[in-house]
């Protein structure tokens, strides 16, 4: 197995320098990991039709050394990406932070949730899944983390008082994610 390749997918309105992403990049690189944080297109008005091909291009050929980390809208983008993988294509791990897999009632995100996810297929496209959520997230209810945990047979880590696990609650570091890589 080669060197682990980590790709962080930010959420709606965010970018590569948001939240704990720069800290995780520095820490992971110091441990010898290759890490990318692509700037997703039109982050203020995201559309799956733009985000999915962009992620496919960034990943290139997925393999067991690939670790995808998503935050918020980045989570469902990763899940939709995993649905597209072909026969014999698989990643090593998906780390899903403050994410969701269904419609949360935000019309701006309709393109991401316009059809149900195929969790059987998604589960078969990664060796393991880890889900993080704040116990008091005001944007993505904790219930979504429990649903992802069950649907993906994922390891769930609930962060007390973590809210949306972003800079808005002062999170500029996230050692728990680093530990899961």
């Amino acid at each position: 197995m080669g060197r682990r390749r980590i790709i962080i997918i930010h959420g709606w309105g965010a970018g590569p320098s948001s939240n704990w992403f720069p800290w995780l990049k520095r820490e992971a690189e110091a441990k010898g990991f290759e890490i990318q944080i692509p700037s997703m297109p039109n982050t203020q008005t995201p559309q799956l039709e733009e985000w999915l091909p962009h992620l496919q291009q960034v990943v290139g050929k997925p393999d067991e050394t690939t670790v995808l980390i998503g935050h918020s809208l980045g989570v469902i983008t990763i899940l939709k990406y995993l649905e597209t993988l072909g026969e014999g294509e698989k990643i090593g791990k998906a780390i899903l932070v403050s994410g969701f897999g269904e419609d949360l009632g935000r019309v701006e995100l309709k393109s991401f949730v316009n059809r149900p996810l195929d969790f059987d297929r998604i589960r078969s496209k990664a060796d393991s899944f880890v889900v993080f959520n704040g116990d008091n997230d005001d944007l993505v209810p904790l219930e979504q983390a429990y649903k992802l945990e069950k649907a993906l047979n994922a390891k769930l880590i609930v962060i007390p008082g973590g809210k949306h696990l972003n800079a808005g609650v002062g999170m500029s570091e996230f050692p728990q994610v680093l530990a899961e890589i």
Side-chain angles (χ1 to χ4, degrees), residues 10-68:
H10 64 74
W12 182 12
S17 61
S18 300
N19 303 315
W20 36 267
F21 312 148
W23 174 86
L24 185 59
K25 182 173 177 26
R26 283 190 308 275
E27 294 295 313
E29 285 175 341
K31 294 183 181 306
F33 296 115
E34 174 190 331
I35 187 161
Q36 294 173 267
I37 312 172
S39 189
M40 299 305 282
N42 298 319
T43 186
Q44 297 301 331
T45 55
Q47 296 296 317
L48 182 64
E49 297 75 24
E50 294 175 329
W51 279 41
L52 190 53
H54 189 72
L55 179 55
Q56 290 167 328
Q57 181 182 9
V58 168
V59 173
K61 180 151 179 46
D63 62 29
E64 71 279 354
T65 67
T66 306
V67 177
L68 298 179

